[in-house]
Amino acid sequence: MTELWLDQVRWNSDGLVPAIAQDHLSGKVLMVAWMNREALALTVQENRAIYWSRSRQKLWRKGEESGHVQQLHDIRLDCDDDVILLSVEQLGGIACHTGRQHCFFKTLRDGEWVAVEPVLKDPHTIYDK
């Protein structure tokens, strides 16, 4: 496969593009992360979500530490060519490092952000092995 499809992506000035991970069955948005060219190419090649960690400045294979891998079902590029949408199966049912199903667990109530989604697994048991 040629890499011309990667050239169509409008990368930001840091060489990144936002990537939205969405549950392939429910359509629920699980998380948002960043991808560089290598991460996007490897995601397609390995059929699993691979992101670029801005804090660690390295590739991040989702689930490499937690076991909560995102298996790729479909990949889309938005109309402006600057956002990736991944349709994934979230293995283990936890996408968020807080131990929740997804990262959007806070809602605005009376001027405060309130957690409204349960922790499914203590994050210390996921990452402090």
Side-chain angles (χ1 to χ4, degrees):
M1 176 186 325
T2 68
E3 292 191 358
L4 292 176
W5 62 275
L6 288 166
D7 294 335
Q8 187 173 344
V9 177
R10 289 185 46 212
W11 308 97
N12 71 13
S13 60
D14 294 322
L16 302 173
V17 65
I20 301 165
Q22 181 180 43
D23 183 273
H24 78 108
L25 292 177
S26 71
K28 183 176 283 191
V29 174
L30 301 174
M31 57 176 276
V32 176
W34 293 90
M35 293 179 141
N36 63 9
R37 187 180 180 99
E38 182 182 12
L40 182 54
L42 287 171
T43 293
V44 171
Q45 182 182 332
E46 295 183 21
N47 207 39
R48 65 176 284 189
I50 300 170
Y51 302 106
W52 175 256
S53 172
R54 294 179 300 166
S55 60
R56 294 176 280 189
Q57 290 291 296
K58 68 176 195 170
L59 288 175
W60 158 42
R61 283 173 166 76
K62 178 68 175 156
E64 65 190 350
E65 293 179 30
S66 66
H68 301 138
V69 172
Q70 291 176 341
Q71 196 69 44
L72 186 64
H73 280 255
D74 188 34
I75 186 166
R76 307 252 175 144
L77 182 62
D78 81 327
C79 58
D80 293 322
D81 297 334
D82 62 359
V83 178
I84 299 293
L85 178 63
L86 304 174
S87 177
V88 300
E89 178 181 356
Q90 180 64 61
L91 303 181
I94 296 173
C96 186
H97 72 280
T98 65
R100 291 177 172 88
Q101 179 187 23
H102 57 87
C103 295
F104 297 94
F105 60 87
K106 298 176 189 174
T107 190
L108 187 62
R109 289 194 181 150
D110 299 321
E112 294 184 38
W113 292 108
V114 179
V116 295
E117 300 282 337
V119 172
L120 301 177
K121 189 169 185 181
D122 181 344
H124 296 293
T125 64
I126 298 171
Y127 298 102
D128 297 336
K129 295 177 184 176

